[in-house]
Amino acid sequence: MPQVVLTILAGLGLAGMAYALVRFWRDLGLLRRGVRTPGEVVELRPVIRGNGPRTYYPVVRYRPTDGSVVTATPGRFRQTPLSAAPGPVTVVYEPERPNRILVESPSAAGTSSVLVPFVSLLTVSVVVLVVGIGVFVKLG
């Protein structure tokens, strides 16, 4: 039985760490090589986390180089949420996939905007791995 628990939790922990690393490198690559263009926050979706400060995930409208209008969101766990400040932002996008974006906000620009979600996911994955090893050692 302990081997099954270890296998499951270790597999989840390692998969989470691998996913966090791959996504972090992809987002860093997007920040380095992506096209930057002005955009406008058209909606703020609230993040509900207990009694902490209220933060929001933006829905952004912008024009890529082909002139079309794109409305997109970076996704709930892709980058650090914004404070309640609708208005102009800088959008970083891939020309091949204009819906894959990151938003550079005045308060959390650049690498820090993708570092916090990466560290959070990595921490949870390591905790799952350590709990799996702890259960194995205790029951084994």
Side-chain angles (χ1 to χ4, degrees), residues 12 18 31-33 44-45 60-61 122:
L12 288 173
L31 283 174
R32 287 187 193 121
R33 295 183 298 277
L44 289 170
R45 295 184 181 156
V60 181
R61 186 170 294 137
L122 193 62

Side-chain angles (χ1 to χ4, degrees), residues 48-105:
I48 297 155
R49 286 190 196 134
N51 296 331
R54 188 116 178 152
T55 56
Y56 301 87
Y57 289 95
V59 177
V60 181
R61 186 170 294 137
Y62 67 98
R63 288 187 185 275
T65 54
D66 67 2
S68 62
V69 176
V70 176
T71 303
T73 183
R76 184 173 174 139
F77 299 108
R78 181 152 304 281
Q79 70 178 81
T80 304
L82 300 175
S83 61
V89 291
T90 300
V91 177
V92 183
Y93 71 95
E94 287 182 359
E96 307 82 40
R97 293 172 44 197
N99 282 333
R100 184 171 186 275
I101 67 167
L102 291 172
V103 175
E104 288 185 341
S105 71

Side-chain angles (χ1 to χ4, degrees), residues 14-31:
L14 292 172
M17 287 188 283
Y19 176 72
L21 286 169
V22 167
R23 195 171 88 178
F24 181 65
W25 286 117
R26 278 172 62 217
D27 290 346
L28 276 182
L30 177 59
L31 283 174

